[in-house]
Amino acid sequence: MAKLYVNPGNPKSKISKEIYGHFSEHLGRCIYEGLYVGEDSPIPNTNGMRNDVVNALKEIKIPVLRWPGGCFADEYHWMDGIGPKENRKKMINTHWGGVVEDNSFGTHEYMELCRQLGCETYINGNLGSGTVREMSEWVEYMTFSGVSPMADLRKENGHEEPYTVNYFGVGNENWGCGGNMRPEHYADEYRRYQTYVRDYYKDKKIYKIACGPNVDDYKWTDTVMKIAGKYMDGLSLHYYTIPRDEWEHKGSATFFDEDMYYVTLRKAYRMEELIQRHSAIMDHYDPKKKVGLIVDEWGTWYDVEPGTNPGFLYQQNTMRDAMVAAITLNIFNKHSDRVRMANIAQLVNVLQAVILTEGERMILTPTYHIFRMYRDHQDATLLDSSMKTEEIGASNGRVPNLSESVSRAKDGTITITIANLSSETNYPVEIVFSEGEPETVTGTILHHAIFMCNTFEEPDLVHPKEFTDMKLENGVTTLHIPPCGVVSLKVTMKK
Ligand code: AHR
């Protein structure tokens, strides 16, 4: 029997709610169709934003949304997306699918979307092909309250008050699509550009995020931290879980065998090593952990669904994705002393999306349900916990059988999330508290066969249910977690 030990007397870091963040790019059907349909659409909307999608995202308490890219960010010129829509430039989205970008979703629309969602804003600026002046003026446009050319322009465009910009990314993947720079060059460019990301607010500062490494490029982290570490609040990390090592054949989202299931989970686990090793480098330059590691792109990346535009990155989402999300979010929780934000890629219709749409129809993916079940970890305090696990899986995909994390909310309620990674074995687990005694334990479970997904024809095949296979006796909770299952428990302690 696996034993999960929880030590409530040893509170650790705060799990920033932003770890449960999302990412939306002008890519495929993420922004257009997925989020924004325009005021005249027959699809029910508020100021152009789909009501069904906005309501579903509020349900998972979406804390922050990154925009406009991704690679698109370093080709985006923000002035193209303001002012009367009929005058906005129509152009080719050269990076993603070669389709027409009519700029009908720009700064004001993004801010309106975040207002409706009640979430924080994370704008990614253009360092790759934009000028320092352009970046500086965008910040002035959005955040300055006084009289200035950019603040006046914002007012002319209908927004009197400044917007709130919480996070600002100074370039994206500048080692690749954002300019193919060397780390030394980027670090110097970062220092220059960020100088002009001015703080116009009286009571708060914009949190500045530098472009961090691609996967395991430790030299990038070392160089950028050394040269520019003291000018940043956060450093990004991008890591995608790609089942096969060949870029042209990443693997199907829905057709895979057990071996491929385990290989995918093993690759998801790599996140832990990446966080540990990048954090160790950051610790060297920033021992007080002032700079956050911002994992602003993560998730599964498969071959696109057959028959869809290869540049749209549209993929289905199965229980395998739910397990990747469960594992990864547990890892982030456990490393929340350094990981301050994470943004799964991407919100709707792209890569590991929480929502898929087709015309007026919408489905919630298994990954969505994990975010729903984990939402009480947001802004809770991580508690010390440990569990002895055993290795399972295919010869090239060995993973621990169970993954867990535990947190305590301000009201004292404890949230425990445990994933059983096995494709076939039900595991009993005992939860033992080193101090205090649970009074009540209630739970939710998401569990199904590894390849199961929701479809537009059957939108509710995979959904969470009340979890009842557990008992609380003499302070010890015993539960049985079915294979490919994730449970989220709420525990109240005796006073
Ligand atoms: O999320 C898709 C793309 O992946 C992003 O545009 C880019 O930053 C990354 O390579």
Side-chain angles (χ1 to χ4, degrees), residues 23 25 27 70-71 96 172-173 238 240 297 301 346 351:
F23 168 39
E25 180 167 9
L27 193 179
C71 294
W96 299 117
N172 167 74
E173 296 196 351
H238 288 183
Y240 285 97
E297 288 188 32
W301 193 326
Q346 299 191 5
L351 300 177

Side-chain angles (χ1 to χ4, degrees), residues 73-74 76-79 123-143 150 165 168-172 174 186 189-198 200 206 208-209:
D74 280 290
Y76 184 60
H77 300 285
W78 67 272
M79 283 220 184
I123 299 259
N124 210 117
N126 178 350
L127 178 144
S129 71
T131 61
V132 173
R133 177 176 177 175
E134 185 181 0
M135 188 181 284
S136 169
E137 288 187 339
W138 197 7
V139 173
E140 181 187 324
Y141 183 88
M142 293 185 286
T143 66
M150 291 303 116
V165 175
F168 195 90
V170 182
N172 167 74
N174 301 93
Y186 171 75
E189 289 290 70
Y190 173 82
R191 286 170 62 133
R192 186 163 75 110
Y193 275 70
Q194 70 77 35
T195 307
Y196 305 96
V197 176
R198 301 276 188 212
Y200 293 112
I206 296 176
K208 296 178 195 174
I209 299 171

Side-chain angles (χ1 to χ4, degrees), residues 151-183:
D152 291 350
L153 185 58
R154 182 192 70 236
K155 291 172 197 168
E156 260 171 53
N157 287 331
H159 209 272
E160 187 65 30
E161 296 302 317
Y163 290 114
T164 299
V165 175
N166 300 104
Y167 301 90
F168 195 90
V170 182
N172 167 74
E173 296 196 351
N174 301 93
W175 35 260
C177 64
N180 288 306
M181 298 176 192
R182 293 172 305 115

Side-chain angles (χ1 to χ4, degrees), residues 37 115 222 451:
V37 287
R115 185 194 67 75
D222 190 74
F451 48 79

Side-chain angles (χ1 to χ4, degrees), residues 3-257:
K3 275 197 168 66
L4 168 63
Y5 292 99
V6 181
N7 180 2
N10 188 8
K12 304 184 117 187
S13 41
K14 178 176 160 195
I15 299 173
S16 313
K17 64 177 189 296
E18 290 81 6
I19 282 179
Y20 291 81
H22 291 262
F23 168 39
S24 60
E25 180 167 9
H26 287 239
L27 193 179
R29 297 184 302 113
C30 181
I31 299 285
Y32 301 111
E33 285 187 49
L35 290 160
Y36 180 74
V37 287
E39 293 84 341
D40 301 331
S41 169
I43 297 174
N45 69 84
T46 304
N47 299 328
M49 313 300 157
R50 288 182 75 125
N51 293 342
D52 53 355
V53 171
V54 166
N55 289 335
L57 294 173
K58 279 160 85 171
E59 179 60 24
I60 56 172
K61 293 211 293 191
I62 176 173
V64 60
L65 182 62
R66 177 175 181 240
W67 172 82
C71 294
F72 185 80
D74 280 290
E75 298 197 31
Y76 184 60
H77 300 285
W78 67 272
M79 283 220 184
D80 297 341
I82 57 167
K85 290 198 178 168
E86 58 281 11
N87 299 340
R88 295 190 193 174
K89 276 187 198 160
K90 291 192 175 37
M91 55 233 299
I92 307 291
N93 187 334
T94 39
H95 210 93
W96 299 117
V99 290
V100 175
E101 163 62 60
D102 70 0
N103 280 301
S104 55
F105 189 98
T107 304
H108 291 250
E109 289 74 22
Y110 165 73
M111 291 293 179
E112 167 61 12
L113 174 62
C114 292
R115 185 194 67 75
Q116 290 186 27
L117 293 171
C119 73
E120 295 178 316
T121 59
Y122 174 7
I123 299 259
N124 210 117
N126 178 350
L127 178 144
S129 71
T131 61
V132 173
R133 177 176 177 175
E134 185 181 0
M135 188 181 284
S136 169
E137 288 187 339
W138 197 7
V139 173
E140 181 187 324
Y141 183 88
M142 293 185 286
T143 66
F144 188 56
S145 60
V147 175
S148 83
M150 291 303 116
D152 291 350
L153 185 58
R154 182 192 70 236
K155 291 172 197 168
E156 260 171 53
N157 287 331
H159 209 272
E160 187 65 30
E161 296 302 317
Y163 290 114
T164 299
V165 175
N166 300 104
Y167 301 90
F168 195 90
V170 182
N172 167 74
E173 296 196 351
N174 301 93
W175 35 260
C177 64
N180 288 306
M181 298 176 192
R182 293 172 305 115
E184 295 81 2
H185 181 72
Y186 171 75
D188 280 339
E189 289 290 70
Y190 173 82
R191 286 170 62 133
R192 186 163 75 110
Y193 275 70
Q194 70 77 35
T195 307
Y196 305 96
V197 176
R198 301 276 188 212
D199 278 306
Y200 293 112
Y201 301 129
K202 296 191 177 68
D203 53 342
K204 51 184 178 271
K205 282 180 153 324
I206 296 176
Y207 188 103
K208 296 178 195 174
I209 299 171
C211 166
N214 181 23
V215 191
D216 56 359
D217 186 350
Y218 300 112
K219 177 173 181 245
W220 182 279
T221 300
D222 190 74
T223 309
V224 172
M225 282 301 293
K226 182 164 44 195
I227 298 174
K230 65 177 183 214
Y231 299 97
M232 67 181 75
D233 300 301
L235 181 74
S236 72
L237 164 66
H238 288 183
Y239 173 61
Y240 285 97
T241 297
I242 303 169
R244 292 184 197 278
D245 294 327
E246 278 170 85
W247 190 246
E248 295 307 316
H249 302 281
K250 294 181 269 298
S252 158
T254 46
F255 295 100
F256 55 90
D257 58 17

